Amino acid sequence: LNTPYKEGYTFAGWYTNSELTGDSVNAITTTDTGEKSFWAKWTANPYSATVDPNLDTSKGTVTVANSDGESGISAKVGDTMNLTAKPEEGYAFDSWTVTDVNGNPIEVSDNRFTMPAANVIVSATFSPIDYTATAKNEEGAKGNVTTEKTEGLHVGETATFAVKPETGYKVT
């Protein structure tokens, strides 16, 4: 009997029953007569979904899990894989990049993808959140407050404020 091929699976033998039990059949002899039915037994190949080791974890982290919520396990072709992005303070999640070992993109929808018949690498893009610093001069104040950079500030950057009291007043 020929050995068939099925993407993402290893052929595990021909069987004479749909339950795939008993001994597998390797050949049909010349003494076998009549109509015969055979069922192919397949074993799913294990594949991995790995977070890109070059991901800048100072901006955020990524987890990949199967539909049962298990991470760090092997997956098989057709499994639904769930993606979670956790941005660090001052960053926002932008997008996913999932590619197979040959660099082919894998479609991601609603933070999920279907496992192909290949190992995959998962990465995420995180962008800094823009903050605005506002210097507000209250009505009746005896002086004013200014700042040089007011927009596009990011976590870790410094906003410098200048306080200038009117003549005869001081900042306390």
Side-chain angles (χ1 to χ4, degrees):
L1 295 173
N2 291 331
T3 301
Y5 172 79
K6 183 176 181 181
E7 186 175 51
Y9 294 85
T10 299
F11 177 67
W14 289 110
Y15 288 80
T16 58
N17 61 77
S18 60
E19 292 81 28
L20 308 174
T21 58
D23 292 332
S24 63
V25 177
N26 296 319
I28 300 173
T29 66
T30 56
T31 59
D32 289 329
T33 60
E35 187 174 311
K36 303 278 185 198
S37 294
F38 297 98
W39 287 263
K41 182 175 182 179
W42 300 99
T43 303
N45 295 335
Y47 297 102
S48 65
T50 307
V51 175
D52 186 345
N54 297 316
L55 179 70
D56 184 353
T57 56
S58 69
K59 296 177 181 180
T61 57
V62 169
T63 55
V64 184
N66 65 15
S67 57
D68 294 327
E70 300 169 312
S71 59
I73 59 150
S74 63
K76 61 183 183 304
V77 64
D79 281 354
T80 297
M81 304 303 288
N82 299 306
L83 303 172
T84 305
K86 184 178 178 190
E88 291 296 328
E89 181 182 1
Y91 290 88
F93 168 75
D94 279 335
S95 63
W96 293 111
T97 302
V98 180
T99 56
D100 69 15
V101 292
N102 296 318
N104 299 313
I106 307 300
E107 182 180 343
V108 177
S109 178
D110 295 326
N111 298 317
R112 292 181 182 91
F113 69 93
T114 302
M115 194 70 186
N119 296 328
V120 299
I121 302 288
V122 177
S123 190
T125 303
F126 298 95
S127 295
I129 297 171
D130 289 338
Y131 293 96
T132 301
T134 304
K136 185 174 181 183
N137 293 297
E138 295 290 332
E139 191 172 320
K142 302 299 180 188
N144 79 26
V145 179
T146 60
T147 183
E148 290 178 15
K149 184 176 180 181
T150 60
E151 295 182 4
L153 294 166
H154 302 124
V155 167
E157 290 184 330
T158 302
T160 304
F161 292 86
V163 180
K164 183 176 181 185
E166 289 183 3
T167 303
Y169 291 88
K170 66 179 182 175
V171 177
T172 56

